[in-house]
């Protein structure tokens, strides 16, 4: 290979790396480049990659309600609920988390918008308030559309936003406690949007509340995956994440056991209500997750956390939909 060829290959590799870094920047993922445009910076703070579970949770809730009808009106209302749960309230959650984590990010992810100085503190505070007020306003509008005597969706939006605040902000800062913080995060990603979708098209009941809170224990496992990228900074600042408390290897096993066991528990519940076909599908969806856990995550959770999430989580979220459809058809 000539020197010219080597230079061409190097240029191609650098271009690919630059494009990948820019994509991670827009999604708010680990390994992002520094954004320059203020709207790109704001979007990076909101971490669009994290909206997906919340949007999907609304879909699962609508499915479990049994009241969703395939019509233009219901589709647009569902989109409004997804916009509230994803870009607005999850964007609020991620922005406020970055605001209170700016010292940790300066160690772990110095390219993040706040520690890098790409956005000012007043601009961040304005973004937090706009996203919060916008999310609660849409929740109230959805309550009006659904004809709720009690504003269920507004209360869920306010309650979820409060949990997000105490998760990130002192003096409580739930994320300092590996168990409590990760469960708060897991339930916010599974239970809260599920309740919103179910309440929007049906009547929220205790069966759904309890089942999704149990299912959120699998969400706790998913939340632990996110702790591996910041283990160095957490240890430096004395935060008690599970990788810090138990070590990387033990925490990885805790993570995968939580994910697998509580999904299997949902499958057993479906068997108990005689939804055997749905239960079988749910059990089958756990198998590829176990495979990717062995291939990637358990072998090197620090290196393969993002690769594992990209490979395994689609099967987890499909399992959530299977549960929702089974309940909606029971």
């Amino acid at each position: 290979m000539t020197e010219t060829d080597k230079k061409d290959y190097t240029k191609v590799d650098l271009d690919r790396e630059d494009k990948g870094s820019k994509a991670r920047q827009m999604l708010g993922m680990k390994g992002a480049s520094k954004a320059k445009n203020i709207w790109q910076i704001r979007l990076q703070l909101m971490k669009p990659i994290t909206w997906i579970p919340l949007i999907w949770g609304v879909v699962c809730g609508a499915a479990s309600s049994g009241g969703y009808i395939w019509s233009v009106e219901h589709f647009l209302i569902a989109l409004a609920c997804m916009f509230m749960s994803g870009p607005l309230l999850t964007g609020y959650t991620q922005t406020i988390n970055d605001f209170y984590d700016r010292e940790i990010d300066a160690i772990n992810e110095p390219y993040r918008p706040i520690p890098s100085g790409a956005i000012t503190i007043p601009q961040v505070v304005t973004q937090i308030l706009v996203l919060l007020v916008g999310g609660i306003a849409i929740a109230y509008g959805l309550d009006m559309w659904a004809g709720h005597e009690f504003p269920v969706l507004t209360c869920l939006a306010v309650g979820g936003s409060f949990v997000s605040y105490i998760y990130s902000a002192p003096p409580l800062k739930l994320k300092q406690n590996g168990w409590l913080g990760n469960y708060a995060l897991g339930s916010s990603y599974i239970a809260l949007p599920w309740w919103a979708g179910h309440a929007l098209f049906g009547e929220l009941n205790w069966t759904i509340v309890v089942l999704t809170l149990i299912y959120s224990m699998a969400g706790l496992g998913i939340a632990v995956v996110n702790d591996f990228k910041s283990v160095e900074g957490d240890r430096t600042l004395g935060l008690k994440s599970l990788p810090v408390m138990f070590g990387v290897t033990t925490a990885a096993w805790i993570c995968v056991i939580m994910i697998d066991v509580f999904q299997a528990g949902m499958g057993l519940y479906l068997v108990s209500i005689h939804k055997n076909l749905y239960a079988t599908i749910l059990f089958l969806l756990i198998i590829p997750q176990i495979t990717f856990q062995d291939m990637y995550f358990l072998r090197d959770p620090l290196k393969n956390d993002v690769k594992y999430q990209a490979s395994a989580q689609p099967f987890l979220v499909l399992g959530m939909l299977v549960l929702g459809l089974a309940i909606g058809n029971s």
Side-chain angles (χ1 to χ4, degrees):
M1 183 180 292
T2 65
E3 288 299 320
T4 302
D5 291 335
K6 289 180 180 179
K7 289 180 181 179
D8 289 341
Y9 277 111
T10 302
K11 184 177 184 301
V12 169
D13 290 340
L14 289 173
D15 287 343
R16 287 176 179 172
E17 184 178 346
D18 182 58
K19 288 179 180 179
S21 183
K22 287 181 179 178
R24 288 191 292 270
Q25 164 198 304
M26 295 305 295
L27 293 172
M29 293 174 65
K30 183 178 179 181
S33 63
K34 185 176 178 180
K36 296 179 180 179
N37 181 284
I38 186 60
W39 295 108
Q40 291 179 334
I41 293 167
R42 291 190 181 281
L43 189 63
Q44 188 179 356
L45 273 176
M46 294 163 64
K47 296 183 183 176
I49 195 70
T50 65
W51 303 349
I52 299 171
L54 281 291
I55 291 171
W56 191 256
V58 172
V59 173
C60 296
S64 68
S65 72
Y68 180 83
I69 299 170
W70 284 104
S71 66
V72 173
E73 181 182 13
H74 275 212
F75 179 72
L76 293 176
I77 289 296
L79 284 181
C81 191
M82 293 175 193
F83 184 67
M84 172 198 74
S85 300
L88 293 180
L89 293 182
T90 308
Y92 153 82
T93 298
Q94 296 298 337
T95 305
I96 200 169
N97 185 63
D98 267 25
F99 176 79
Y100 285 107
D101 271 6
R102 54 192 185 275
E103 293 181 3
I104 299 176
D105 286 343
I107 298 171
N108 295 315
E109 301 175 271
Y111 55 81
R112 296 291 303 158
I114 300 175
S116 69
I119 189 170
T120 67
I121 296 299
Q123 287 175 314
V124 176
V125 172
T126 299
Q127 178 164 322
I128 290 169
L129 293 175
V130 168
L131 292 171
L132 175 62
V133 172
I136 294 173
I138 289 181
Y140 181 77
L142 292 174
D143 275 322
M144 295 298 100
W145 175 86
H148 291 152
E149 294 182 7
F150 180 80
V152 181
L153 288 158
T154 305
C155 289
L156 288 176
V158 172
S161 301
F162 177 72
V163 170
S164 298
Y165 175 79
I166 63 174
Y167 172 81
S168 299
L172 294 179
K173 203 173 180 70
L174 297 180
K175 68 183 299 178
Q176 290 180 333
N177 183 303
W179 293 108
L180 186 59
N182 282 315
Y183 183 72
L185 190 61
S187 60
S188 296
Y189 272 61
I190 293 180
L192 281 175
W194 196 309
W195 297 350
H198 192 102
L200 185 59
F201 297 105
E203 185 176 345
L204 191 59
N205 55 69
W206 282 108
T207 298
I208 291 297
V209 170
V210 172
L211 276 177
T212 52
L213 287 176
I214 294 172
Y215 211 166
S216 295
M217 295 299 289
L220 186 154
I222 293 297
V224 174
V225 177
N226 296 320
D227 288 338
F228 288 93
K229 69 178 181 181
S230 58
V231 63
E232 181 182 343
D234 290 348
R235 187 180 291 117
T236 301
L237 296 175
L239 298 182
K240 295 180 180 179
S241 67
L242 295 192
V244 171
M245 288 193 293
F246 297 103
V248 170
T249 301
T250 302
W253 275 102
I254 291 172
C255 173
V256 300
I257 289 171
M258 298 291 287
I259 292 170
D260 298 340
V261 166
F262 285 96
Q263 286 183 90
M266 294 299 103
L268 293 174
Y269 169 76
L270 292 181
V271 171
S272 73
I273 61 172
H274 310 295
K275 291 293 181 179
N276 296 330
L277 176 60
Y278 290 99
T280 302
I281 295 172
L282 184 51
F283 284 128
L284 290 174
L285 288 170
I286 299 173
I287 295 174
Q289 295 179 65
I290 295 173
T291 302
F292 288 123
Q293 287 162 2
D294 178 61
M295 286 177 57
Y296 299 134
F297 190 64
L298 291 173
R299 298 189 184 191
D300 193 342
L302 297 178
K303 180 182 178 181
N304 296 327
D305 55 340
V306 174
K307 185 184 292 186
Y308 164 67
Q309 287 179 308
S311 303
Q313 282 196 23
F315 297 98
L316 183 145
V317 298
L318 283 174
M320 291 170 55
L321 182 59
V322 168
L323 177 64
L325 290 170
I327 295 171
N329 289 318
S330 64

